[in-house]
Amino acid sequence: MNKLLPAESLGDIPSLLQRYASGELTPSLMVQKVHALMQDDPGNVWIHKLPLETLKGYAFAAETRNKSGVELPLYGIPFAIKDNIDLAGIPTTAACPAFAYTPQYHAMVVQRLIDAGAIPIGKTNLDQFATGLNGTRSPYGACRNAFNPEYISGGSSSGSAVALAKGLVCFSLGTDTAGSGRVPAAFNNLIGYKPTRGSLSTRGVVPACRSLDCVSIFALTAADAERILEVTTGYDAEDIYSRRGEGYGKDSAVPCLPEQNFRFGVPRNQQLQFFGNQESERLFTEAVAKLQALGGEAVEIDFAPFLEAARLLYEGPWVAERYAAIQQFFDLHGDQVIAPVREIIGGAKRYSAADAYNGLYRLRALKRETDRAWTETDCMLTPTAGTLYTVEAMQQDPIRLNANLGYYTNFMNLLDYAAVAVPAGFQKDGLPFGITLAGPARQDQPLLRLAGRIQQAYGLPLGATGIPLQKEKEGSPGKPFHGSSQVLQPGQSSGQIRVAVCGAHLSGLPLNGQLTSRRGRLVASTTTSPDYRLYALPGDPPKRPGLIRVDRDEQGAAIEVEVWELPVGEFGSFVAGIPAPLGIGTITLENGEAVQSFLCERYAVADAEDISRFEGWRGYLRQLRNS
């Protein structure tokens, strides 16, 4: 492992905010220290370093706004920007000098960060036009691994990852189309968060595959990544691929009931690929055990449809979208594009419109197959990359080895999944290894929180700096910074409504389809608090349950219920189908949690059968069958 950096290394976001709060450091002094450190750049991290006077200007603006009482959740936090993302007044090159232009405006995601008090430090090196997963495809030089410069840093967001791993910034921005925000994270001992497509605006980003591109976040901790997500996420009407936020449903990282665990999918053994690296295989086996120790149940899944989808990205018509992104420049200045990138983009011309449609049809069919995994699991666990190569080996065999690096990453955006790369130990030679948690679109926050639990379980140092992993610290009252990651408590969820059912809507019973057809998810099987009574209302089957809360002087019972979550947009149509005398109200569960549920008007139970003694609808049905 490399030597620790000087004491000026910044650490995670809470650590730097704490230094500001204590008066030990100011943003103006911080930028001077960082500017001095970044001048020595043997690893080819930077394409453009901001001048010290420019950095002081950003720092002064943040300090002034903070003194005036403006809430700045990222007050004075330095960050790096991949050089295919616009920073106003600074050239955007996409690692191709002939392509460079100077934007007038910040990219939307950069603007939101600066508005939150963050300070851009510079533009970082990348695989040219974000085409590659290795970090060697740049005329500015191969970006070197933060732990051993003989090894690749991963790409295409190479410089952004290494700048963070070396302690020069507290977080950095990359992009991720095929794994560019995850592979460099694995190779440099970082969190690499690839959001749900459209969650972060891509306005002001040079496209690779515009329909698939994501702005990604490199962070030292999952909590830092979530903090950045809160600042940067949001609908952008000027970005045609931007999507409005939706709820994420069940939070596997924060179970609503103590007995709940989570289930994670793992590819079949014969489908795992480590390309001869026994250390990666050992570390992945240990990672599976680590998740099991956290309460996870490993579920074997068929990885074949994921792999077939992955091949569509570079072996199918989607490569034509890379050509479309820079078509005019490529046709006029193809000789300015470096060899591996030129071969990949130039090869796109062989695809026809019919090929594109056939590819879309096949992808649609594959997504139906892969989505079945989410009916059995909460998330999927894979290596981020099966192995790590030297710079020399990569340059000798750039296409094949780069393809190997995308084995576990290339399918993610095609299938519209979210993913977080998480550090997971070190090989015996000191090089880091990483795993990836993946889930359906909108599962970003649960994945980040589970990633945080994994980080705490490993207790690994952060980046390459050797800074110890620590729990997030908050500022004390009156200190000159604001904001923190909002962590939901057990029982809370985002954009979802929890509803308890107690009759024919229970799993396996006739009306359960009214929940599953609305994308409902079973959260827990539990009981009410012991002050309810359950009645079987008269009428045709399937009979309806009448749940009422009893007065203090009446005897009640704990009634079996299932707690389901429904997206807010589906809840209205579900409620509209509930016939009188039933309605929706609030009940209390055995653990004290309040949720929505079916309730019955009292007049309707006068002639109904009291079935409370059976402790629930299933017990009542068993009694009917036995009588």
Side-chain angles (χ1 to χ4, degrees):
M1 195 181 302
N2 70 330
K3 294 181 180 180
L4 301 187
L5 290 174
E8 287 85 350
S9 297
L10 300 170
D12 61 0
I13 293 174
S15 297
L16 184 56
L17 290 177
Q18 201 69 22
R19 295 175 73 182
Y20 290 153
S22 69
E24 173 192 347
L25 194 62
T26 65
S28 291
L29 183 56
M30 178 276 297
V31 296
Q32 293 183 55
K33 291 178 177 291
V34 169
H35 183 265
L37 285 170
M38 66 193 294
Q39 298 314 304
D40 182 23
D41 186 22
N44 302 314
V45 171
W46 303 99
I47 289 179
H48 190 102
K49 306 165 191 170
L50 267 62
L52 182 56
E53 288 308 308
T54 303
L55 294 177
K56 287 181 177 179
Y58 278 114
F60 178 76
E63 290 167 349
T64 301
R65 293 170 64 209
N66 182 68
K67 289 176 182 177
S68 67
V70 177
E71 183 171 341
L72 300 175
L74 297 176
Y75 171 62
I77 300 299
F79 70 104
I81 304 169
K82 183 177 180 178
D83 198 22
N84 61 342
I85 302 173
D86 288 346
L87 179 66
I90 304 299
T92 299
T93 71
C96 181
F99 176 80
Y101 64 91
T102 301
Q104 289 184 294
Y105 304 100
H106 301 310
M108 173 57 76
V109 66
V110 172
Q111 184 65 63
R112 286 175 172 163
L113 291 166
I114 293 173
D115 289 346
I119 298 174
I121 297 299
K123 305 293 290 295
T124 57
N125 204 356
L126 67 150
D127 282 326
Q128 193 175 72
F129 293 114
T131 302
L133 289 173
N134 59 81
T136 69
R137 298 173 175 177
S138 172
Y140 297 95
C143 187
R144 303 283 175 157
N145 188 282
F147 287 80
N148 186 332
E150 294 183 5
Y151 283 81
I152 61 173
S153 57
S156 61
S157 308
S158 51
S160 288
V162 177
L164 175 59
K166 288 189 171 183
L168 300 173
V169 291
C170 288
F171 73 94
S172 56
L173 296 181
T175 60
D176 192 315
T177 304
S180 297
R182 290 162 280 154
V183 172
F187 292 172
N188 293 279
N189 197 42
L190 302 170
I191 289 287
Y193 162 52
K194 187 214 75 67
T196 296
R197 280 183 353 216
S199 298
L200 275 62
S201 172
T202 55
R203 179 154 55 100
V205 177
V206 178
C209 293
R210 192 178 180 190
S211 66
L212 302 179
D213 293 339
C214 296
V215 174
S216 64
I217 296 168
F218 294 105
L220 293 174
T221 69
D224 277 5
E226 189 171 359
R227 189 190 293 258
I228 302 306
L229 172 63
E230 291 172 2
V231 169
T232 54
T233 192
Y235 179 70
D236 179 4
E238 297 184 46
D239 174 7
I240 62 172
Y241 285 103
S242 183
R243 296 156 76 175
R244 297 188 185 277
E246 294 180 7
Y248 53 69
K250 178 182 176 183
D251 190 337
S252 303
V254 187
C256 76
L257 293 174
E259 66 272 15
Q260 271 198 295
N261 291 323
F262 62 94
R263 308 180 82 206
F264 63 96
V266 180
R268 295 171 181 169
N269 281 336
Q270 65 269 29
Q271 294 171 332
L272 288 168
Q273 179 61 263
F274 299 97
F275 308 99
N277 188 332
Q278 294 181 350
E279 280 293 281
S280 291
E281 186 172 4
R282 173 183 66 83
L283 289 165
F284 183 68
T285 300
E286 291 178 2
V288 172
K290 189 74 72 174
L291 259 70
Q292 290 172 323
L294 290 175
E297 177 188 350
V299 178
E300 194 175 75
I301 61 172
D302 182 6
F303 203 51
F306 294 88
L307 293 175
E308 185 178 345
R311 288 192 290 272
L312 291 173
L313 192 63
Y314 281 105
E315 299 174 26
W318 271 269
V319 73
E321 193 171 12
R322 291 185 181 270
Y323 171 60
I326 58 168
Q327 181 175 358
Q328 184 176 2
F329 175 83
F330 190 86
D331 289 346
L332 293 174
H333 307 287
D335 59 333
Q336 299 297 308
V337 180
I338 61 177
V341 177
R342 184 170 63 248
E343 293 171 16
I344 292 167
I345 295 176
K349 296 180 182 181
R350 71 180 183 272
Y351 292 104
S352 67
D355 292 329
Y357 279 108
N358 286 329
L360 287 168
Y361 302 150
R362 183 57 188 152
L363 178 62
R364 192 79 173 188
L366 289 169
K367 182 166 172 58
R368 284 286 175 89
E369 291 186 52
T370 58
D371 280 353
R372 293 186 191 126
W374 313 128
T375 66
E376 301 176 359
T377 66
D378 298 298
C379 62
M380 179 170 63
L381 175 72
T382 70
T384 300
T387 192
L388 172 58
Y389 299 109
T390 63
V391 171
E392 182 181 4
M394 179 60 65
Q395 291 176 334
Q396 290 178 354
D397 193 0
I399 302 298
R400 184 179 66 88
L401 298 191
N402 190 86
N404 290 348
L405 297 178
Y407 186 86
Y408 298 105
T409 64
N410 284 351
F411 59 83
M412 206 73 71
N413 282 347
L414 285 166
L415 296 172
D416 195 19
Y417 297 152
V420 184
V422 189
F426 293 89
Q427 299 180 168
K428 291 178 181 178
D429 60 5
L431 291 168
F433 173 76
I435 55 175
T436 289
L437 298 170
R442 309 301 184 188
Q443 280 284 304
D444 303 63
Q445 287 174 308
L447 290 173
L448 283 168
R449 290 175 192 155
L450 183 54
R453 292 180 64 197
I454 294 170
Q455 275 195 292
Q456 292 293 339
Y458 272 102
L460 297 172
L462 306 179
T465 63
I467 300 167
L469 183 64
Q470 56 189 324
K471 292 186 177 181
E472 183 169 340
K473 294 177 266 187
E474 297 298 336
S476 53
K479 296 298 182 181
F481 69 92
H482 308 275
S484 65
S485 291
Q486 179 186 6
V487 178
L488 295 185
Q489 298 301 315
Q492 290 182 281
S493 193
S494 171
Q496 304 280 316
I497 294 180
R498 283 190 174 157
V499 57
V501 297
C502 58
H505 287 90
L506 293 166
S507 299
L509 297 185
L511 300 184
N512 185 248
Q514 294 181 8
L515 292 166
T516 57
S517 66
R518 290 176 169 84
R519 294 181 291 150
R521 289 173 60 100
L522 177 63
V523 173
S525 297
T526 183
T527 66
T528 66
S529 55
D531 48 358
Y532 288 87
R533 298 192 73 81
L534 184 65
Y535 295 83
L537 300 180
D540 297 330
K543 287 185 176 291
R544 292 172 292 164
L547 183 69
I548 64 169
R549 192 165 198 161
V550 299
D551 295 329
R552 290 182 179 179
D553 57 350
E554 296 181 271
Q555 183 178 359
I559 305 299
E560 176 201 4
V561 294
E562 287 181 352
V563 180
W564 287 71
E565 282 188 330
L566 286 174
V568 170
E570 300 283 359
F571 186 68
S573 65
F574 177 68
V575 172
I578 299 172
L582 302 182
I584 291 289
T586 301
I587 69 166
T588 303
L589 302 179
E590 64 171 351
N591 68 344
E593 181 183 358
V595 296
Q596 301 297 295
S597 179
F598 289 96
L599 286 173
C600 183
E601 296 188 56
R602 272 188 173 268
Y603 79 85
V605 302
D607 299 322
E609 179 185 1
D610 185 343
I611 60 171
S612 305
R613 64 188 182 280
F614 302 117
E615 299 181 341
W617 199 253
R618 295 185 197 276
Y620 167 63
L621 294 179
R622 284 194 295 270
Q623 183 269 339
L624 288 179
R625 286 195 296 268
N626 295 332
S627 61

